[in-house]
Amino acid sequence: MAASKSKGKLVADLLYQSWRSHAPPPRINEDELGTITPLLLGSGAGALAWANIRDSKLGESSSAVELHQAYRLHALHTAAFEDDIKKLITLLRSVNVDPILIKGWAIARLYPDTALRPYGDVDLCVRPSEYAAAKKACESPEGQKYVVDLHDRFGRFDDLTVDELYDRSQIAKLGDVEVRVPCAEHHLRIMSSHMLRHGAWRPLWLCDIAVAIEARPADFDWDLCLGRSRQTRDWVACCVGLAHQLLGAEVDDTPVARKAKTLPGWLISNVMKQWETPYATSQPPVSHRAAMGSYLRGSYLRHPRGLFADLRRRWPNAIEATVYTGGPFNALPRWPFQIGECVARTAKFIARLPRALRDRI
């Protein structure tokens, strides 16, 4: 008797090439669909799953009713968010801020149906010189109507600068409003970095990467996408590889095909393990009871056993630890990078401790 598949493998099998207009028949049965439906709904992949099963026998299952409802709900949210995006960008341009929209609608527009790719906020990047004006506009009575995540840089995990992002950016039409979005090369790079920094816990992120790979323009510049550093090239290649190996994205005509087909086993198994954890939409699967900062506010002082239990649960996943420490995605064991992240984060916590304790006095 064949061994049963893990929930992570079932999620991957159901979402296999699901972003395509003509996806292959689902690779799972009705019982297996019922097993992973809570994971699909919780991760925001319910609508995409519905699109993949609606024309099959699974479209008549009880789970299909829940997935169809998710699609309907996402369709309503998509219409509302698209209206918000147009109004928000118009508001920012009225104060001479020209934002770039990243992720969200910027990638959803490449799906056959934008309702297949839900998002919970509007991610905007602005020039550092325009950040204060943008922040003020977003905090105004009008701006507070919208859920905005405002950025003026990408942090230490990517060598892409805001100037480079703007120089290569493009204009996409959303109704009668022009929306500035990253070029295809930068957007794939940004989404790859974002997914790895967050441990690749959300399957929808990998679907985004698969969509970006297969929808890329004919003149796509892989050198621009992969960036200048060996580290960035490694990250993008690994994400392309995960999209290929888990979801069936076509990569044969890419310069990273060899890497994409020879990923380390720990990376694939870690991603599928993340996909097995129940979570609320857009919230990562965190098991610890409170943030480390709670220690300073008295939570752990009152319940010290909770601190030690949470320290055990805070053992970082292999992907996040590799990114945090700047390690390579090779076949070597991950525990040195996981220990390295724990040491680095603990050192930062201890460094902040004296000042935090003084603030409590």
Side-chain angles (χ1 to χ4, degrees), residues 56-190:
S56 72
K57 292 182 179 179
L58 293 179
E60 301 174 1
S61 66
S62 58
S63 295
V65 176
E66 295 181 81
L67 297 173
H68 192 189
Q69 183 60 25
Y71 169 78
R72 290 169 173 166
L73 183 61
H74 293 327
L76 292 174
H77 286 172
T78 294
F81 265 109
E82 289 183 359
D83 189 55
D84 286 351
I85 290 169
K86 291 188 288 185
K87 291 177 179 176
L88 181 57
I89 289 178
T90 300
L91 171 64
L92 290 173
R93 286 179 178 159
S94 72
V95 295
N96 299 315
V97 174
D98 186 19
I100 295 180
L101 178 68
I102 58 177
K103 300 181 294 181
W105 179 82
I107 184 65
R109 67 194 177 95
L110 301 182
Y111 281 77
D113 178 354
T114 53
L116 300 180
R117 205 305 184 184
Y119 44 95
D121 59 12
V122 181
D123 276 284
L124 296 176
C125 184
V126 300
R127 294 182 176 90
S129 60
E130 297 177 351
Y131 183 79
K135 188 171 185 291
K136 183 178 180 180
C138 290
E139 293 175 349
S140 68
E142 176 64 22
Q144 289 182 13
K145 299 177 183 178
Y146 314 111
V147 184
V148 187
D149 192 1
L150 196 62
H151 310 264
D152 64 348
R153 59 180 60 86
F154 293 106
R156 68 181 182 87
F157 296 110
D158 198 310
D159 57 3
L160 177 63
T161 68
V162 174
D163 285 341
E164 289 173 323
L165 183 65
Y166 269 90
D167 289 345
R168 295 276 187 168
S169 64
Q170 301 170 344
I171 297 296
K173 293 285 288 186
L174 177 54
D176 57 351
V177 174
E178 293 186 340
V179 179
R180 188 174 297 279
V181 297
C183 67
E185 294 87 350
H186 284 165
H187 209 194
L188 177 55
R189 183 165 147 194
I190 290 168

Side-chain angles (χ1 to χ4, degrees), residues 188 209 213 222 235-245 251 254 256 260:
L188 177 55
I209 289 172
I213 293 168
W222 277 102
W235 290 358
V236 175
C238 283
C239 289
V240 171
L242 286 169
H244 169 67
Q245 293 201 32
V251 300
T254 73
V256 296

Side-chain angles (χ1 to χ4, degrees), residues 243-264:
H244 169 67
Q245 293 201 32
L246 295 183
L247 301 180
E250 178 56 56
V251 300
D252 284 342
D253 58 346
T254 73
V256 296
R258 181 176 179 181
K259 172 74 173 181
K261 296 177 180 180
T262 56
L263 296 179

